[in-house]
């Protein structure tokens, strides 16, 4: 006890005048002394850090409370704010696979292979016939279909195998796309590799792929019923169902593509947030507002033109009026042919106009020509608009390059379309024309994507910049 008493007396003598104060003085004195001055006093007097326990205790409590709040916020935030870059590459690879299956699906239709498999077996149908008896069984089912009876009554088993393998490959490819997308989606979500918004996108795309399989069988089923065909007509799937199948594939591809590009752009912006904000400010220039809306409308026009092409394919409308720009003796067929009462199903003729536009091959081809030429001239006008006036001075270089690329794509697509028509729809040209439609839509979407920056991405970049500044 004597030892501790001596130590306390020595500490009292050596302590600064204001080191020991009463509780009343502590309550009355204003607490404006900066923390740095406390540390300076301690250092100047030679005291250890433990002797400044009174002011440091409050600091440690405050830091502990802040860390607790941060930990609670992190626990609530289940998904990361930014999606992994590997997910973006996987999305773009999946989009490329969908692009391929769209082109291959066109080949399946052009070779009239789509109706060779008359059953839908998502699991057991993954394997082709393995024995001669299996092949005979499949061929027997095909012989009962309208296509065999009306078009291929002399087809042999070896010829049947060729069209069977085309359709089988198409179906298996679709299942592979579904498996290679749905399973990684579950993995990325479980391992928290994606943001909450991207998780919703991936689940939506997975559901759309499954729905696409159902639409595919719904389409094929329409070509296996005798009651859908008028006497002497060509057995084919419903043009409505074919166009729906094509539209779903285009939407699935577009969703994958835009999602992947968005993730890559976000990572690129976060690497250099200051330059990113400058680029965003240039894109958000009010002078670009009308140009941005025009590109968005043009993207919708490209999609609509492609869907009208689906109606042309479903009705084999490309096999009539195989000249350009004329259609017979004029620029358009005769009015009586365009608005034929044969396609109306109501006595009052109230459905005459829309049934002719969707079911009359002559009118459907004319509609596709009008939409195609409108798309072509609109893109050329957009290019001229981007190179004139005030817009040319403020338009970023990557937007100008995207506009020029769109001109190249639409010119190629127009050449493919006219060639396909003039040469009576040969399979290579027709398949290339379908691929060109999706390529043109890709160019329009990439250009539109460059012009639109989500607000969430802007906020993320601003937060990143503040962190770097601190």
């Amino acid at each position: 006890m004597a030892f501790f008493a001596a130590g306390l007396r020595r500490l009292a003598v050596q302590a600064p005048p204001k080191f020991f104060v009463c509780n009343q003085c502590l309550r009355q004195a204003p607490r404006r002394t900066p923390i740095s001055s406390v540390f300076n006093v301690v250092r100047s007097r030679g005291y250890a850090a433990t002797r400044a326990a009174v002011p440091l205790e409050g600091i440690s409590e405050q830091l502990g409370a802040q860390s607790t709040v941060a930990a609670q916020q992190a626990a609530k935030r289940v998904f990361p704010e930014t999606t992994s870059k590997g997910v973006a590459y996987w999305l773009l690879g999946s989009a490329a696979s969908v692009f391929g299956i769209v082109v291959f699906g066109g080949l399946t239709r052009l070779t009239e292979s789509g109706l060779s498999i008359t059953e839908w077996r998502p699991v057991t149908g993954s394997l082709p016939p393995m024995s001669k008896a299996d092949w005979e069984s499949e061929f027997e089912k095909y012989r009962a279909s309208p296509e065999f009876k009306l078009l291929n009554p002399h087809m042999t088993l070896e010829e049947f195998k060729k069209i069977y393998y085309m359709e089988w490959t198409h179906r298996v490819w679709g299942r592979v796309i579904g498996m290679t997308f749905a399973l990684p989606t579950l993995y990325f979500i479980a391992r928290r590799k994606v943001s909450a918004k991207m998780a919703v996108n991936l689940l939506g795309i997975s559901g759309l792929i499954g729905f696409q399989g159902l639409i595919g069988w719904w389409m094929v089923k329409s070509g296996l019923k005798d009651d859908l065909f008028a006497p002497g007509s060509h057995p084919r799937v419903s043009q409505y169902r074919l166009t729906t199948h094509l539209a779903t594939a285009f939407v699935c591809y577009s969703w994958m593509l835009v999602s992947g590009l968005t993730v890559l752009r976000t990572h690129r912006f976060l690497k250099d947030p200051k330059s990113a904000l400058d680029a965003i400010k240039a894109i958000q220039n009010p002078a670009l507002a009308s140009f941005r809306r025009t590109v968005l409308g043009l993207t919708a026009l490209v999609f609509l033109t492609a869907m009208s092409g689906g109606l042309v394919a479903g009705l084999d409308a490309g096999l009539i009026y195989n000249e350009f720009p004329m259609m017979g003796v004029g620029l358009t067929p005769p009015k009586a042919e365009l608005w034929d009462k044969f396609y109306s199903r109501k006595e009052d003729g109230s459905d005459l106009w829309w049934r002719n536009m969707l079911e009359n091959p002559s009118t459907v081809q004319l509609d596709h020509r009008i939409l195609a030429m409108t798309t072509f001239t609109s893109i050329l006008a957009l290019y001229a608009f981007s190179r004139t006036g005030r817009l040319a001075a403020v338009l970023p270089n990557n937007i100008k390059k995207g506009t020029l690329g769109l001109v190249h794509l639409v010119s190629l697509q127009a050449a493919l379309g006219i060639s396909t028509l003039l040469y009576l729809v040969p399979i290579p040209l027709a398949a290339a024309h379908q691929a060109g439609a999706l390529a043109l839509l890709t160019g329009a979407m990439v250009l539109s994507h460059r012009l639109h920056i989500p607000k969430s991405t802007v906020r993320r970049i601003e937060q990143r910049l503040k962190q770097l500044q601190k």
Side-chain angles (χ1 to χ4, degrees):
M1 293 295 295
F3 174 76
F4 287 108
L8 289 174
R9 284 195 301 269
R10 188 164 51 253
L11 180 63
V13 173
Q14 296 177 354
K18 295 183 180 180
F19 194 84
F20 293 103
V21 291
C22 64
N23 292 333
Q24 185 68 24
C25 295
L26 285 174
R27 286 194 294 267
Q28 294 177 357
R31 300 181 180 180
R32 295 182 180 178
T33 305
I35 298 175
S36 59
S37 63
V38 177
F39 283 103
N40 292 334
V41 171
V42 173
R43 293 192 189 98
S44 63
R45 299 290 182 177
Y47 293 102
T50 55
R51 298 186 181 181
V54 175
L56 289 178
E57 183 179 356
I59 298 173
S60 62
E61 291 178 355
Q62 184 178 2
L63 291 175
Q66 291 177 353
S67 63
T68 303
V69 173
Q72 292 175 352
Q73 292 177 351
K76 292 181 179 179
R77 189 169 60 245
V78 178
F79 293 95
E81 294 183 357
T82 306
T83 301
S84 171
K85 188 181 290 187
V87 176
Y89 294 130
W90 165 71
L91 279 168
L92 295 180
S94 300
S97 185
V98 174
F99 190 106
I101 199 174
V102 168
V103 178
F104 192 82
L107 290 173
T108 303
R109 179 189 58 80
L110 291 167
T111 57
E112 296 183 344
S113 305
L115 300 177
S116 58
I117 302 179
T118 59
E119 295 177 336
W120 189 51
R121 295 172 294 175
V123 179
T124 58
S126 299
L127 294 176
M130 305 302 292
S131 65
K132 185 176 181 180
D134 293 338
W135 278 113
E136 288 291 348
S137 176
E138 292 295 327
F139 192 29
E140 186 64 29
K141 295 172 185 177
Y142 177 67
R143 282 198 290 261
S145 67
E147 184 177 76
F148 178 84
K149 295 176 181 178
L150 299 177
L151 292 181
N152 303 319
H154 305 292
M155 177 176 283
T156 64
L157 178 60
E158 293 302 319
E159 293 172 337
F160 169 71
K161 288 181 179 181
K162 294 179 181 179
I163 63 173
Y164 185 96
Y165 274 123
M166 285 286 293
E167 175 63 11
W168 176 81
T169 303
H170 182 64
R171 295 191 184 191
V172 171
W173 194 343
R175 291 169 185 148
V176 169
I177 290 176
M179 294 294 290
T180 57
F181 196 90
L183 295 180
T185 292
L186 297 177
Y187 171 79
F188 289 137
I189 293 177
R191 297 301 300 270
R192 304 297 186 262
K193 298 290 186 179
V194 296
S195 64
K197 183 178 180 181
M198 182 56 66
V200 174
N201 284 338
L202 297 184
L203 291 175
I205 296 173
S206 299
L208 185 61
I209 293 174
F211 184 60
Q212 173 74 335
L214 294 175
I215 292 178
W217 171 243
W218 178 62
M219 175 191 68
V220 171
K221 193 175 179 180
S222 67
L224 301 175
K225 295 182 178 180
D226 294 316
D227 56 348
L228 294 179
F229 309 111
S233 63
H234 188 292
R236 60 169 67 93
V237 298
S238 167
Q239 74 273 19
Y240 298 113
R241 301 186 187 188
L242 174 66
T243 305
T244 303
H245 189 54
L246 182 66
T248 308
F250 272 45
V251 171
C252 186
Y253 167 80
S254 304
W255 202 345
M256 292 176 179
L257 178 69
V258 172
S259 298
L261 292 177
T262 300
V263 174
L264 291 180
R265 182 177 62 185
T266 301
H267 278 274
R268 187 174 67 253
F269 281 172
L270 291 177
K271 282 185 177 180
D272 190 358
K274 187 177 184 305
S275 300
L277 288 178
D278 294 338
I280 293 173
K281 188 180 297 184
I283 294 174
Q284 293 177 343
N285 192 318
L288 271 65
S290 58
F291 184 83
R292 186 181 300 107
R293 289 192 296 267
T294 302
V295 172
L296 191 61
L298 194 58
T299 304
L301 179 60
V302 172
F303 180 83
L304 180 62
T305 304
M307 294 308 102
S308 71
L311 292 175
V312 172
L315 294 170
D316 288 329
L319 298 175
I320 59 175
Y321 292 113
N322 299 102
E323 58 268 343
F324 188 85
M326 308 298 288
M327 296 184 71
V329 296
L331 291 175
T332 65
K335 182 179 179 180
E337 182 180 345
L338 292 176
W339 307 109
D340 195 339
K341 294 182 179 180
F342 170 79
Y343 297 96
S344 177
R345 299 181 185 178
K346 294 185 178 181
E347 295 182 359
D348 59 355
S350 59
D351 61 342
L352 177 67
W353 66 275
W354 69 265
R355 285 198 178 275
N356 274 274
M357 291 186 67
L358 300 177
E359 298 179 4
N360 185 341
S362 299
T363 311
V364 167
Q365 189 191 126
L366 177 63
D367 293 341
H368 186 60
R369 288 189 183 208
I370 293 173
L371 287 171
M373 295 311 299
T374 302
T375 302
F376 180 76
T377 55
S378 297
I379 291 177
L380 293 183
L382 180 73
Y383 175 77
F385 181 42
S386 67
R387 296 306 196 269
T388 57
R390 180 187 174 189
L391 183 63
V394 298
L395 202 64
N397 289 330
N398 64 333
I399 306 299
K400 291 181 178 179
K401 292 178 181 178
T403 307
L404 180 59
L406 208 56
V407 172
H408 294 160
L409 288 171
V410 76
S411 300
L412 177 61
Q413 178 67 348
L416 286 172
I418 295 173
S419 301
T420 302
L421 191 66
L422 296 178
Y423 289 98
L424 298 176
V425 196
I427 292 177
L429 281 177
H433 185 53
Q434 182 166 327
L438 193 51
L440 180 60
L441 181 63
T442 302
M445 285 191 303
V446 169
L447 181 59
S448 181
H449 180 263
R450 291 177 180 177
L451 287 164
H452 292 83
I453 309 294
K455 293 181 180 179
S456 58
T457 302
V458 178
R459 288 195 299 268
R460 182 78 180 91
I461 296 171
E462 291 174 346
Q463 292 174 359
R464 178 63 174 168
L465 184 60
K466 290 179 180 179
Q467 292 174 358
L468 293 177
Q469 291 175 345
K470 289 182 180 179

